[in-house]
Amino acid sequence: MIMSYSTTTGARDALSHLLASSPALPLPPRAAEFAAKTRFTGRAQPVLPCVLKEVEASAALKAVEAGVAAALGELRYGWAEDDIEVDLDRAGAFLIMAYLSSVDGMTKLNKAVRARLRDTDFARAQSNIYRRLSANLYRTADGGYYHIHGSLAATPALEMIGLPAYREDFTDADYNKILEYIGEAVGKFTVAELEEMNAERKLAGVMCLTAPEFLETPHGKAVSQQPYWMLETTESTTPPAPFPPTPAGVERPQILTGIRVLELCRIIAGPTVTRILAEYGAEVLKITSPTGPDVPFFQVDGNMGKHAAELDLKTPAGRAAFEALLASADVVVDGYRPGAIEKLGYGPTALKALAEKRGKGYVYVNENCFGYDAPWAHRAGWQQISDCVSGLAWAQGRALGRDEPVIPPFPMSDYGTGCMGAIAALTGLLHRAQRGGSYWGKASLVQYDLFLQALGPYPQPVWEDLLARQDEAFKAVRYYDSVDHIGAAALKGLRRNAPWYWDEEERFLEETEAPGFGGKIKVVRPVVRMGRTRNGFGETSRPNGWDKAEWWVPRAE
């Protein structure tokens, strides 16, 4: 084992990088002071098979998250937190929680778990392997690489390249045959042609660029000049918002007790924002459309700590119910395609007016793929799309010894972006309590990727040692392999290189009864621990649409 590199030192360096980025980063000075005092504990060796420092980035963001939370705690409870810990092992678990979570022992990779999930894969974009591989990276006619992506529909992407929407003759055993079939269709077009067709259909596909290529685009030039996450004041007329009353006699209260959060998100990054807020005690109500598709298994860990209800915001009844919830909400988190919620009348501009009317500010947080105030900001996207366009996939592919891009394992950019969004939300709440007003937080997958790449890759000897300890299946992955295939291959090596995630399961996973999933679930525990306040979930997880669309914790207004 190469011991010349320590993830503890790497996490500290990543945190220093973030703190040095202030004042460009919207990080309050008191929060930075608390963050700087964070103790990083846990094992110090790299274990996740990505050439970039994902665990270190995650741990640093968690330290900043804790710093803002501690500043909120000081304002609310009157004491200065003197014990903040970020466990590096848990920071790693946070990045792979979709693969560690389970329902009665069945993980994401166990097909039998589908019987326990609510089927929100309405278009069979996940359950049908042919349609699932319509969201994948392929070679183009001019020797480039393009990640086609039909989001949660699949049909538009397949029809774009001249293929039928369904091929019922294909089964899971035909994985390689399907890759060849779709790859042949994509390979008839150049990158430019695919970009044009993709734009016409407003799909989430994107060309695969190296980091220098991305930074030379007008979009890359714009977002690279912006902070890693942003916070704007949308109005400053509403007064400071007092915290809700705290129950008496609680030895270690939660920082966000009584704070109400409306979640308008799906998949991973957006729900991670609100999952983190739930860890700090917020009352989180997730609202989804009864006809809106979502990946079923991601709800197991993504909905932890929340209630989940359905409303159709395009109907009078749905809008009336949502507006009743909005009347007493503190935070709204929007993870949908850019502009979608605004078109419904509930974006940051609408909430600014509503805040002025009710005399109490809102914190609105957007999470998207491409970022803001830049040429591609309107584009839809997902974690794989960001990793392809920003240069991560090329960095990973070359580190594997290939002259081709390979998407890094696990949805780590999603989780890191979720943490950035949570930091923005916490900061907005801090400002609202201190000086009043309403705030608009902005986080994106591309901005997270820029932060990650700014930390640099692992030193070559460290990466070579880490790669040598991986399973042969992981060493053999290619550009065309799906994220599930890459994740499963990486997991094989992780079980050998980081057995503590399974041997010390109780340290990393919380087990709870989940009637919505028909049994017991295990989900990843919070990463941050503080001495004076408690982090933890007050609600078990449930599938989308399980609850009534109502606040369930009484609160005096």
Side-chain angles (χ1 to χ4, degrees):
M1 173 66 196
I2 302 293
M3 297 302 294
S4 59
Y5 178 84
S6 163
T7 52
T8 305
T9 302
R12 179 61 60 186
D13 290 344
L15 176 58
S16 297
H17 173 77
L18 289 173
L19 298 181
S21 299
S22 193
L25 273 181
L27 186 58
R30 188 59 173 151
E33 291 175 14
F34 280 119
K37 298 176 182 178
T38 300
R39 291 184 300 110
F40 293 108
T41 60
R43 296 170 177 86
Q45 71 267 36
V47 293
L48 296 185
C50 178
V51 71
L52 293 162
K53 301 169 185 173
E54 295 272 13
V55 170
E56 294 88 331
S58 168
L61 288 170
K62 283 293 177 182
V64 173
E65 171 199 307
V68 184
L72 266 166
E74 182 180 47
L75 183 65
R76 182 170 192 175
Y77 299 118
W79 59 57
E81 182 61 67
D82 56 5
D83 182 13
I84 300 175
E85 177 189 1
V86 170
D87 185 318
L88 291 167
D89 296 333
R90 284 194 182 183
F94 169 74
L95 294 172
I96 60 173
M97 63 175 158
Y99 287 82
L100 292 179
S101 302
S102 64
V103 179
D104 281 339
M106 295 178 287
T107 68
K108 179 181 185 293
L109 299 177
N110 188 330
K111 293 178 184 177
V113 78
R114 294 177 185 173
R116 299 294 191 87
L117 309 175
R118 182 189 172 199
D119 186 5
T120 53
D121 181 23
F122 301 138
R124 296 176 64 204
Q126 295 293 310
S127 58
N128 180 285
I129 189 169
Y130 167 65
R131 289 173 64 76
R132 188 163 75 244
L133 291 176
S134 70
N136 207 52
L137 183 61
Y138 295 100
R139 192 80 184 265
T140 63
D142 52 348
Y145 297 88
Y146 200 91
H147 197 301
I148 60 171
H149 206 302
S151 295
L152 296 173
T155 297
L158 288 166
E159 292 183 342
M160 179 183 77
I161 55 175
L163 295 182
Y166 291 89
R167 280 287 305 267
E168 301 295 353
D169 53 318
F170 281 135
T171 69
D172 288 355
D174 297 314
Y175 172 75
N176 290 312
K177 187 184 297 184
I178 298 168
L179 290 174
E180 183 177 348
Y181 178 70
I182 298 178
E184 183 178 336
V186 175
K188 295 176 182 177
F189 303 98
T190 65
V191 166
E193 289 169 337
L194 288 162
E195 269 289 274
E196 183 178 355
M197 294 189 298
N198 189 79
E200 288 172 354
R201 294 161 177 80
K202 297 181 180 180
L203 299 182
V206 77
M207 73 289 275
C208 202
L209 302 176
T210 64
E213 288 171 342
F214 174 67
L215 293 174
E216 282 300 310
T217 66
H219 187 85
K221 289 177 180 178
V223 296
S224 64
Q225 297 302 309
Q226 299 171 2
Y228 297 130
W229 63 89
M230 297 181 280
L231 189 71
E232 296 178 11
T233 302
T234 59
E235 59 85 15
S236 55
T237 61
T238 55
F243 293 104
T246 304
V250 179
E251 183 177 347
R252 292 177 65 213
Q254 293 192 279
I255 287 167
L256 296 185
T257 295
I259 297 296
R260 288 178 168 173
V261 179
L262 278 173
E263 175 189 326
L264 300 170
C265 305
R266 56 184 178 178
I267 315 299
I268 298 177
T272 298
V273 176
T274 52
R275 187 187 196 271
I276 292 169
L277 299 180
E279 291 176 16
Y280 288 96
E283 181 183 2
V284 179
L285 178 58
K286 179 179 183 179
I287 301 294
T288 51
S289 166
T291 59
D294 197 357
V295 179
F297 190 85
F298 290 156
Q299 295 162 40
V300 175
D301 58 277
N303 287 357
M304 189 64 184
K306 313 170 186 179
H307 278 200
E310 289 181 338
L311 290 174
D312 186 344
L313 301 187
K314 296 181 179 179
T315 67
R319 293 176 67 84
F322 183 73
E323 289 166 13
L325 295 168
L326 195 58
S328 63
D330 300 289
V331 180
V332 175
V333 180
D334 168 8
Y336 281 89
R337 180 187 292 261
I341 301 302
E342 288 180 276
K343 288 179 181 177
L344 292 170
Y346 302 116
T349 302
L351 263 64
K352 169 184 177 292
L354 188 56
E356 292 170 339
K357 182 178 179 181
R358 74 173 187 173
K360 182 180 179 182
Y362 285 99
V363 177
Y364 194 96
V365 177
N366 269 119
E367 171 277 317
N368 70 24
C369 179
F370 283 91
Y372 308 85
D373 305 318
W376 294 339
H378 64 283
R379 293 177 69 151
W382 309 89
Q383 168 254 322
Q384 310 98 299
I385 298 302
S386 174
D387 289 356
C388 281
V389 77
S390 69
L392 258 64
W394 266 109
Q396 181 74 0
R398 286 173 172 166
L400 291 170
R402 304 193 185 285
D403 187 25
E404 63 187 35
V406 175
I407 294 172
F410 313 122
M412 296 186 282
S413 298
D414 271 320
Y415 293 117
T417 302
C419 193
M420 287 181 168
I423 292 168
L426 291 165
T427 306
L429 287 169
L430 178 63
H431 289 333
R432 190 186 71 148
Q434 288 176 320
R435 56 184 186 239
S438 292
Y439 300 88
W440 183 7
K442 301 176 182 180
S444 76
L445 291 156
V446 160
Q447 287 165 303
Y448 170 80
D449 285 354
L450 289 175
F451 165 55
L452 181 64
Q453 291 179 92
L455 304 180
Y458 284 119
Q460 190 63 23
V462 175
W463 170 249
E464 288 175 355
D465 175 74
L466 182 58
L467 183 59
R469 291 184 284 117
Q470 300 309 307
D471 190 86
E472 292 303 314
F474 182 77
K475 297 176 188 178
V477 296
R478 297 291 308 276
Y479 71 88
Y480 49 71
D481 278 314
S482 71
V483 291
D484 281 337
H485 179 95
I486 294 169
L491 211 58
K492 292 178 179 178
L494 196 64
R495 282 185 171 273
R496 290 201 304 268
N497 299 320
W500 48 85
Y501 286 127
W502 293 269
D503 297 345
E504 303 169 27
E505 189 180 74
E506 191 172 334
R507 180 181 160 208
F508 302 103
L509 301 180
E510 173 181 337
E511 184 176 65
T512 179
E513 291 284 350
F517 297 113
K520 291 184 177 181
I521 62 169
K522 292 180 181 178
V523 296
V524 170
R525 295 181 183 275
V527 177
V528 173
R529 188 199 64 79
M530 293 194 282
R532 291 179 175 267
T533 56
R534 181 179 68 85
N535 272 21
F537 300 109
E539 298 287 333
T540 189
S541 188
R542 60 256 283 145
N544 291 351
W546 180 257
D547 301 289
K548 294 181 180 179
E550 61 186 18
W551 299 116
W552 68 97
V553 179
R555 188 177 81 172
E557 292 294 337

